[in-house]
Amino acid sequence: MEHIRTTKVELVKLIDRFSTSNKSLTGTLYLTATHLLFIDANQKETWILHHHIAAVEKLALTTSGCPLVIQCKNFRVVHFSVPRERDCHDIYNSLLQLSRSASYEELYAFSYNPNQNESKRLQGWQLIDLAEEYRRMGVQNSNWQLSDANRDYKVCETYPRELYVPRAVSKPIIVGSSKFRSKGRFPVLSYYHRDKEAAICRCSQPLSGFSARCLEDEHMLQAISKANPAHHYMYVMDTRPKLNAMANRAAGKGYENEDNYANIRFQFVGIENIHVMRSSLQKLLEVSGTKALSVNNFLSGLENSGWLRHIKALLDAAVFLAKAIAIENATVLVHCSDGWDRTSQVCSLGALLLDSYYRTIKGFMVLIEKDWISFGHKFSDRCGQLDGDPKEISPVFTQFLEGVWHLTEQFPQAFEYNEALLLQIHEHVHSCQFGNFLGNCQKEREELKLKEKTYSLWPFLLDEQEKYLNPLYNPNFSQKLAFLEPNTVSFNFKFWRNMYHQFDRTMHPRQSVFNLIMTMNEQNKKLEEDFKELEAKLKERTRQSETLLTKEPLQSVHPASPALKSSPGFKKEQPLLPMNDSNRTIEGSNTADNRYSEYMEELSKAEPAIVSLEYGVARMTC
Amino acid sequence: MLLTVIPFILSMHRVASSSGSITLKCKDLKVLQLEIPGMEECLNISRSIEALSSVESVMMMYPFFYRPQSMKLKDGWQLYPLQHYYQQIATETTAWRLSCVNGEFTVCPSYPAAVIVPTAVDDNTLKKAARFHQGGRFPILSYYHKKNGTVLLRSSQPLIGPNRKRCPEDEQLLSAALNRGERGFIIDTRSAQAAKQARMMGGGTESKSSYPCWRRLHGPLERGRPLQESFIKLVEACNDTSLSMDRWLSKLESSKWLAHLKGALSTACLAAQCMEREEACVLVHGAEGTDTTLLVTALAQVILDPECRTLTGFQGLLEREWIKAGHPFHFRCARSAYSHARLKQEAPIFLLFLDCVWQLGRQFPFSLEFNEHLLLVLFEHTYASSYGTFLCNSEKERCLCEVKEKTHSLWSWLNQPSQQKKHLNPLYTYNALVIWPSVEPQSLQLWQGLFLRWIRSSQYLDEAWAEIQRLVTSCEDAPEESAGDRQCHSQPDAAHPHRQTQLGNAG
């Protein structure tokens, strides 16, 4: 690659980002076409994908070397110290170039080759079929039908080709309504609740300004309302804060006037825009990345960042949506400004509360394909896949995943998948390794020929789905509930340590209950398999012995077999197997990792006479 | 029924309008609203409750009247004698002895009758050293770390005073705790400044010149009234479900409870680190030596010693390091969080300890033999109990009140198989290692099971926990069943039918 000038630098130090005494590991840094690799003296490898790099910073030269700080989109932060400034500069420049691709074709997905044959690759792309998903929901039906209005992306470029609208709506109405909506994103079906015959619909804001009206749009909303036979009113949820929506009116946009639309109930939800969210996350990361952070600074930083407030707003909106459908049987139309950020968040979280299918692994993939990918959440812009406008970057999808995580925390048995799936999806939304999340909308994806040139993430996740299974999942859990109703009182919201500190090993619990249960299940499965195999062998042997041997030798077969014969008898061996212990050993429990001695250094500042342990011991002996 | 409820009642807020309703705010943080028909009855009941919930005399308290049929008095009181603990140490070393210098509680009223001290120091020296310590709490052994032979000592502050008094006997006692050439650490649970200021009031902290073998460290911990206020604020914040996110976080912060947790864990880890990594002996003290001192020494033991992480070991630890060590439970755990009476002596030090242990359990879910439920039970029983275990402030008072003769021990109830079962952690496996927790703010959590216990439903979490229990025990029961099988049938017999069917299949 033309950007790489130095491929290998030795004696680089990887500095513990939280250590106040700059504890470090020495090793070698390698630069490849796709990754930055650090191998420390213990041969432990740290791989960093170039696409994951959000920012590279070269700090002022110190006596020990030239510091290089790399912040990743998956919240890994690495702090290197390179002995020679020239090397540091070379790596810095290379990373700057490599982490900012100018065109889609440079992204990893176009070169990633997992050695899979072509037909399997194509099958992978067919794994998630949205037409099938709409059939599962129960459309088309007497009230809803597939519209071909957007077959050639003529009505709305950022929508998919297949859209579902009320049967009563004709093409002129669709076209008219789309002209009255920001970016042409007219109201369409997102989720249909079969039992309640109520729907979640989505769109963008109307171009109402202070007084403009559009009869087609009014007709459209009426048709949506009437497509719900049980009900005579529908909700229109504007997910923005009221002030923002009003400000939009001055620009000729705005929100629905209840007087112009028959039987709508209008509701603001107050989720902030992408810019607020971006700076909120930035503040959160600043706080959580502080060295020697005190509890009070952490909590006040958490408060000032506003992050958990935003997550709560998201879940509150989703609960409002789910209640409207499950309790009031009312159809809900959701929009924000352009209808691809907050609208995606609220529609998908709402559907997740209403439909247990989305709480299975496959269903979750379908949900993301439907409400995020197909409806044109601008993954490329929001994740900064290409070198573009930094103001377009925003953690909208991360917030959605965090909302899901909070639900899994409150309903440990309701989800088939676990936190690891959420983290892995987050990883790949930013990795650009698979085609699913490239580009900003379906039209763009088709133009990029992603299905021909790249791989889909979903089959890879399904292949290793054991990792993502929630061992506590109970498929019957959801049956007793009309919908999941999370408690959204503030104290339920917690800092998601496993996301924002996923690479800071020392902060995590040293023993994991989930892992233990999962390995236990795995072992049981394996033991059962072993047992079956042994049983088969035994059968074979007894058969042999019967045919070949007389009564007496039968006895000699016996001692080897009975222990294996009875199932419980075999299981007795289990505690003796080595893996059981290894599950329960403690990872990374070590004083050095926990920085108590640094805490002591802090203490020692209070009184100069006091020595810190690290250095103090030597001096004390004199 | 009423009698068992009453001990939990803290205060009564009469909303005695026409409806006649009583709000009971209990010490276990529960809030009950009773609607009582008839104003007269309502007032009577409230008066009775008020009188009964503020019994002054220890001897009139419920444990002295509680007589369950299934239990015998005196059971359980001898479960964890100090002698046993000393015997364990004596088998490893001769440097320590059991002293009965405090047999009549005259040397130190808050110490038990027997204490463990260096063999090289005689009782007379101890008496003189005791006079040099607040409340007579001279340095004694708290924990012997078998792995490397280091010890954890605790005391109260030395009475150095403004004139920098010295006490040769105390110096002798502390140097006798160390082997020749060894150095030790003194961990003062006050800030350096507070320790210095204490001299004006006759206290202070060991100076370098008088105790050349000891190095001093400070781990300032909150205590007393500020800690109680922290508890009250946190409970208030938790009870207000209308708080916006920002208000909640700022109230959580201003309660400072999590900061106190971090402080306690860090200081305990520091003590543990000095022993385990630096192989040095450690003396812990604050001022009185009955609060933060015990918090640090007890926590350090849970971190260091796998024995203290078992169900009975933990009870033994509480008995040694809190009850016999003279933590004034009667003063500290009188009214709990809903009381606005400014009780000078009230402070949730022991609750802070339980919370720290809970945090350890969250970070090392397989390393504690007991579960959250035990910690909750202990919390309840320190504030109001049918058992005498947490009554009074010291062994001396317990003897005077004849607690051991006239009340039941909590331990004998907890150790009944039916109770034990509820308190065991199904994931537990013996872990010989030291458990070093993370003390980063991101790693500490609000103890929802305690603070939100009555505020939000934990149904789904409880069900999930039951499922974990089911999964784990079904895995582990299997071998036991089979063991049973094997005992019941002799092997050839057991195998025989199988073989027959096998042969049948083959044929």
Side-chain angles (χ1 to χ4, degrees):
Chain A
M1 292 275 285
E2 74 265 40
H3 301 307
I4 301 177
R5 295 181 58 178
T6 311
T7 54
K8 180 179 174 187
V9 186
E10 281 171 346
L11 295 174
V12 172
K13 284 188 198 139
L14 174 63
I15 299 170
D16 177 347
R17 70 188 273 226
F18 291 108
S19 163
T20 46
S21 60
N22 289 340
K23 201 165 64 81
S24 65
L25 287 165
T26 306
T28 308
L29 196 63
Y30 298 89
L31 201 55
T32 75
T34 53
H35 289 83
L36 181 70
L37 168 62
F38 178 77
I39 303 180
D40 68 23
N42 309 322
Q43 300 302 311
K44 199 181 149 274
E45 298 174 3
T46 306
W47 290 83
I48 296 170
L49 187 65
H50 296 326
H51 294 317
H52 269 148
I53 296 177
V56 202
E57 211 182 337
K58 206 161 64 108
L59 303 181
L61 196 67
T62 67
T63 45
S64 58
C66 187
L68 188 70
V69 179
I70 300 172
Q71 291 180 7
C72 298
K73 292 169 182 172
N74 55 6
F75 308 116
R76 187 201 283 274
V77 177
V78 283
H79 193 147
F80 290 117
S81 177
V82 185
R84 290 197 313 163
E85 200 189 353
R86 248 200 63 178
D87 290 334
C88 184
H89 192 73
D90 283 348
I91 290 178
Y92 172 75
N93 279 337
S94 303
L95 289 180
L96 271 190
Q97 300 299 325
L98 292 166
S99 63
R100 289 182 195 163
S101 305
S103 73
Y104 284 115
E105 282 73 18
E106 288 173 30
L107 295 178
Y108 189 27
F110 290 94
S111 58
Y112 175 64
N113 183 3
N115 279 330
Q116 211 177 58
N117 66 40
E118 187 59 17
S119 70
K120 209 168 166 213
R121 196 186 63 77
L122 279 173
Q123 266 172 28
W125 278 111
Q126 284 149 12
L127 188 72
I128 306 292
D129 178 2
L130 289 185
E132 171 61 34
E133 167 60 9
Y134 284 100
R135 273 198 294 282
R136 186 194 69 84
M137 290 181 207
V139 286
Q140 313 180 60
N141 58 27
S142 54
N143 291 311
W144 294 90
Q145 66 174 352
L146 178 65
S147 157
D148 61 359
N150 202 39
R151 202 176 41 204
D152 304 312
Y153 298 114
K154 288 235 169 77
V155 182
C156 175
E157 285 202 326
T158 58
Y159 267 169
R161 290 175 193 272
E162 286 82 32
L163 291 168
Y164 293 81
V165 294
R167 244 178 223 288
V169 165
S170 62
K171 192 165 175 189
I173 299 235
I174 291 177
V175 173
S177 168
S178 82
K179 291 204 170 120
F180 190 64
R181 293 276 168 181
S182 213
K183 307 281 194 303
R185 294 170 68 93
F186 60 97
V188 295
L189 181 80
S190 159
Y191 175 74
Y192 179 75
H193 197 292
R194 199 195 277 256
D195 295 340
K196 306 277 179 192
E197 297 184 89
I200 303 176
C201 294
R202 54 184 294 169
C203 62
S204 61
Q205 65 184 338
L207 305 176
S208 54
F210 289 100
S211 59
R213 293 181 62 165
C214 168
L215 288 177
E216 289 92 337
D217 193 59
E218 289 163 24
H219 193 98
M220 176 68 121
L221 261 63
Q222 191 146 26
I224 290 174
S225 175
K226 282 193 175 147
N228 179 346
H231 236 273
H232 57 277
Y233 65 80
M234 70 185 274
Y235 282 101
V236 176
M237 264 174 96
D238 190 327
T239 56
R240 298 169 293 182
K242 188 172 183 185
L243 217 65
N244 299 20
M246 283 168 66
N248 263 302
R249 289 205 301 200
K253 300 164 189 172
Y255 54 93
E256 290 82 356
N257 182 343
E258 270 179 297
D259 300 337
N260 297 342
Y261 293 85
N263 301 325
I264 66 162
R265 295 193 180 178
F266 192 82
Q267 177 77 33
F268 284 111
V269 186
I271 302 173
E272 299 286 351
N273 66 25
I274 57 165
H275 309 294
V276 175
M277 299 309 188
R278 179 178 58 248
S279 82
S280 171
L281 179 63
Q282 209 164 3
K283 284 183 200 157
L284 181 80
L285 295 178
E286 255 165 48
V287 171
S288 67
T290 312
K291 281 183 190 180
L293 180 62
S294 77
V295 173
N296 283 354
N297 287 343
F298 173 65
L299 290 175
S300 64
L302 197 56
E303 181 197 337
N304 289 336
S305 76
W307 185 255
L308 290 180
R309 173 160 48 89
H310 301 318
I311 302 293
K312 174 173 154 59
L314 223 62
L315 280 184
D316 277 330
V319 170
F320 179 90
L321 172 57
K323 272 186 174 167
I325 290 184
I327 297 174
E328 294 183 59
N329 286 18
T331 287
V332 186
L333 174 65
V334 183
H335 73 72
C336 48
S337 294
D338 290 324
W340 50 42
D341 294 313
R342 289 168 273 200
T343 303
S344 294
Q345 289 176 327
V346 173
C347 289
S348 54
L349 279 173
L352 194 69
L353 295 181
L354 286 165
D355 193 334
S356 63
Y357 175 63
Y358 299 129
R359 294 173 226 140
T360 64
I361 292 186
K362 179 86 183 289
F364 192 58
M365 295 170 177
V366 169
L367 184 67
I368 293 174
E369 277 286 343
K370 175 168 72 71
D371 272 311
W372 292 86
I373 296 173
S374 90
F375 276 116
H377 172 68
K378 303 202 290 174
F379 276 106
S380 178
D381 288 358
R382 296 292 176 259
C383 303
Q385 290 172 350
L386 300 182
D387 192 12
D389 183 359
K391 288 212 170 73
E392 281 287 311
I393 296 175
S394 187
V396 175
F397 187 72
T398 309
Q399 288 183 319
F400 161 69
L401 292 178
E402 182 160 341
V404 178
W405 174 73
H406 272 103
L407 294 175
T408 63
E409 285 285 291
Q410 285 199 29
F411 302 98
Q413 295 192 268
F415 291 80
E416 189 191 18
Y417 43 90
N418 60 23
E419 191 180 29
L421 181 73
L422 305 178
L423 295 177
Q424 189 70 343
I425 290 174
H426 183 264
E427 176 91 3
H428 285 299
V429 164
H430 292 96
S431 74
C432 304
Q433 186 175 346
F434 297 94
N436 310 61
F437 304 103
L438 299 193
N440 286 320
C441 59
Q442 292 298 56
K443 182 169 179 248
E444 203 173 2
R445 285 183 197 104
E446 285 173 18
E447 285 162 8
L448 289 169
K449 298 196 166 50
L450 292 175
K451 291 195 179 178
E452 290 151 52
K453 294 180 176 168
T454 70
Y455 290 84
S456 165
L457 168 66
W458 309 126
F460 289 85
L461 294 183
L462 280 181
D463 273 354
E464 45 179 30
Q465 68 168 312
E466 257 107 57
K467 279 201 236 168
Y468 308 121
L469 287 174
N470 169 12
L472 302 180
Y473 175 56
N474 175 2
N476 301 324
F477 177 86
S478 302
Q479 281 174 6
K480 54 187 177 187
L481 303 168
F483 69 107
L484 286 192
E485 190 180 355
N487 182 338
T488 59
V489 174
S490 302
F491 52 58
N492 292 291
F493 293 87
K494 296 175 285 187
F495 173 73
W496 192 5
R497 185 184 54 214
N498 288 358
M499 172 63 95
Y500 304 105
H501 287 296
Q502 52 182 306
F503 298 99
D504 303 312
R505 198 174 47 96
T506 58
M507 279 190 195
H508 299 291
R510 311 305 211 258
Q511 298 170 321
S512 153
V513 176
F514 261 30
N515 289 351
L516 175 75
I517 295 173
M518 277 166 62
T519 23
M520 269 184 170
N521 285 349
E522 246 166 64
Q523 283 157 16
N524 273 4
K525 222 184 274 168
K526 189 162 181 308
L527 285 171
E528 269 163 35
E529 277 165 24
D530 287 356
F531 171 65
K532 274 186 198 138
E533 200 178 305
L534 287 167
E535 201 175 37
K537 273 188 192 162
L538 181 70
K539 228 183 222 175
E540 189 56 30
R541 279 189 75 173
T542 7
R543 192 202 303 269
Q544 285 171 1
S545 62
E546 204 186 33
T547 50
L548 295 175
L549 305 168
T550 55
K551 257 184 199 169
E552 211 189 318
L554 254 179
Q555 298 278 328
S556 69
V557 178
H558 164 224
S561 47
L564 308 174
K565 191 53 217 107
S566 74
S567 151
F570 179 61
K571 276 194 182 160
K572 173 126 177 78
E573 310 279 316
Q574 193 196 341
L576 304 173
L577 295 176
M579 70 280 175
N580 224 358
D581 279 346
S582 61
N583 294 333
R584 305 205 190 206
T585 51
I586 296 168
E587 189 206 322
S589 179
N590 166 335
T591 44
D593 285 346
N594 289 304
R595 298 173 280 274
Y596 311 127
S597 53
E598 284 159 19
Y599 176 75
M600 189 155 32
E601 279 168 41
E602 266 172 69
L603 294 178
S604 65
K605 278 180 207 150
E607 197 186 72
I610 294 163
V611 290
S612 80
L613 263 190
E614 275 189 355
Y615 309 103
V617 180
R619 257 189 280 157
M620 274 166 50
T621 46
C622 60
Chain B
M1 180 63 201
L2 191 62
L3 272 179
T4 56
V5 177
I6 282 175
F8 293 92
I9 287 162
L10 158 82
S11 69
M12 249 245 5
H13 294 248
R14 246 172 301 158
V15 197
S17 57
S18 55
S19 71
S21 80
I22 297 179
T23 309
L24 299 175
K25 296 193 167 185
C26 305
K27 292 178 184 177
D28 62 356
L29 310 181
K30 196 191 303 173
V31 179
L32 294 173
Q33 183 106 20
L34 302 179
E35 297 279 335
I36 296 162
M39 277 305 290
E40 194 60 24
E41 272 98 338
C42 182
L43 282 173
N44 283 342
I45 289 173
S46 82
R47 258 183 238 120
S48 308
I49 292 176
E50 228 157 73
L52 288 168
S53 65
S54 51
V55 173
E56 284 295 317
S57 156
V58 173
M59 306 281 285
M60 293 300 287
M61 285 185 161
Y62 188 58
F64 286 93
F65 305 97
Y66 180 60
R67 292 291 176 269
Q69 289 187 333
S70 59
M71 292 165 80
K72 271 188 249 151
L73 283 172
K74 292 192 181 171
D75 277 2
W77 284 110
Q78 289 309 317
L79 267 179
Y80 308 103
L82 203 64
Q83 281 84 348
H84 279 189
Y85 189 70
Y86 168 67
Q87 286 305 330
Q88 287 173 9
I89 299 168
T91 57
E92 310 243 342
T93 168
T94 53
W96 298 89
R97 68 183 181 94
L98 203 62
S99 164
C100 292
V101 67
N102 198 37
E104 305 292 320
F105 305 112
T106 47
V107 177
C108 171
S110 62
Y111 272 171
V115 291
I116 304 169
V117 295
T119 315
V121 177
D122 62 25
D123 284 356
N124 264 335
T125 314
L126 292 177
K127 280 182 192 165
K128 284 183 183 148
R131 265 180 247 139
F132 188 60
H133 281 272
Q134 183 173 0
R137 294 176 70 92
F138 56 92
I140 57 170
L141 181 136
S142 149
Y143 167 65
Y144 177 79
H145 194 40
K146 269 182 235 158
K147 208 191 264 174
N148 57 18
T150 57
V151 294
L152 182 63
L153 308 169
R154 54 178 160 76
S155 69
S156 61
Q157 65 178 340
L159 299 174
I160 287 167
N163 300 326
R164 296 175 189 266
K165 260 189 294 180
R166 292 180 63 164
C167 170
E169 288 80 6
D170 187 51
E171 289 162 25
Q172 189 195 337
L173 171 57
L174 276 187
S175 58
L178 302 174
N179 290 324
R180 180 173 293 278
E182 263 181 13
R183 309 276 162 155
F185 289 97
I186 294 172
I187 296 180
D188 194 321
T189 63
R190 300 164 295 181
S191 69
Q193 204 193 0
K196 210 179 255 175
Q197 276 170 351
R199 283 220 311 267
M200 302 310 292
M201 307 294 291
T205 191
E206 290 81 355
S207 69
K208 245 196 310 180
S209 53
S210 318
Y211 301 85
C213 298
W214 293 86
R215 280 289 177 268
R216 198 150 36 84
L217 302 166
H218 292 270
L221 299 182
E222 200 55 87
R223 66 201 80 210
R225 187 68 204 164
L227 192 64
Q228 175 68 9
E229 269 161 13
S230 167
F231 179 36
I232 291 173
K233 278 187 186 167
L234 177 62
V235 170
E236 267 174 15
C238 290
N239 280 342
D240 188 351
T241 53
S242 67
L243 290 179
S244 73
M245 186 59 73
D246 290 2
R247 291 292 294 149
W248 158 250
L249 288 172
S250 95
K251 286 203 160 197
L252 185 61
E253 182 207 338
S254 70
S255 82
K256 298 206 181 86
W257 185 261
L258 294 175
H260 299 325
L261 272 181
K262 179 177 157 88
L265 279 169
S266 306
T267 309
C269 287
L270 187 60
Q273 191 185 9
C274 290
M275 297 178 73
E276 169 79 12
R277 294 290 152 109
E278 306 302 327
E279 307 203 325
C281 295
V282 174
L283 166 67
V284 182
H285 71 69
E288 293 95 338
T290 53
D291 295 291
T292 50
T293 305
L294 304 180
L295 176 63
V296 172
T297 56
L299 259 183
Q301 293 178 51
V302 178
I303 291 164
L304 287 169
D305 186 0
E307 287 309 316
C308 294
R309 298 176 221 141
T310 65
L311 187 60
T312 50
F314 188 64
Q315 290 173 9
L317 177 78
L318 297 183
E319 191 69 31
R320 266 192 298 119
E321 288 297 295
W322 288 94
I323 299 166
K324 291 216 174 74
H327 177 65
F329 280 103
H330 182 69
F331 287 151
R332 300 288 184 262
C333 307
R335 310 248 88 183
S336 187
Y338 291 129
S339 169
H340 291 283
R342 290 181 68 87
L343 292 170
K344 241 177 117 185
Q345 296 270 21
E346 177 99 22
I349 285 274
F350 185 71
L351 173 61
L352 189 62
F353 167 73
L354 293 177
D355 199 342
C356 288
V357 174
W358 181 82
Q359 305 282 344
L360 287 172
R362 294 291 294 199
Q363 296 196 24
F364 300 91
F366 320 144
S367 298
L368 302 184
E369 193 189 17
F370 46 89
N371 59 21
E372 176 178 17
H373 195 239
L374 177 78
L375 300 176
L376 291 173
V377 166
L378 289 169
F379 161 68
E380 284 172 11
H381 281 268
T382 49
Y383 281 92
S385 177
S386 319
Y387 302 93
T389 299
F390 292 112
L391 287 182
C392 302
N393 292 311
S394 62
E395 282 298 278
K396 183 184 176 185
E397 287 183 17
R398 267 170 223 122
C399 281
L400 286 173
C401 296
E402 297 177 283
V403 167
K404 291 180 190 179
E405 288 76 29
K406 295 183 173 167
T407 73
H408 288 285
S409 159
L410 177 66
W411 309 135
S412 42
W413 175 64
L414 283 179
N415 289 330
Q416 290 174 352
S418 60
Q419 286 300 318
Q420 259 190 359
K421 217 174 156 188
K422 287 187 210 164
H423 301 139
L424 286 172
N425 171 11
L427 302 171
Y428 174 73
T429 41
Y430 181 83
N431 168 14
L433 300 172
V434 178
I435 52 173
W436 299 111
S438 162
V439 295
E440 301 292 339
Q442 293 95 322
S443 307
L444 301 177
Q445 295 175 13
L446 176 71
W447 185 4
Q448 299 208 349
L450 182 101
F451 293 106
L452 304 179
R453 187 176 181 189
W454 312 109
I455 299 162
R456 55 110 175 90
S457 156
S458 59
Q459 185 198 344
Y460 301 131
L461 302 181
D462 296 343
E463 284 172 7
W465 184 244
E467 174 67 10
I468 291 178
Q469 199 139 2
R470 197 191 61 74
L471 282 172
V472 173
T473 44
S474 73
C475 272
E476 280 169 2
D477 274 354
E480 275 165 36
E481 275 167 26
S482 68
D485 278 352
R486 286 191 169 188
Q487 279 161 5
C488 292
H489 317 283
S490 66
Q491 264 197 2
D493 280 348
H496 202 65
H498 290 299
R499 189 151 49 94
Q500 278 186 331
T501 53
Q502 208 67 77
L503 290 174
N505 287 344

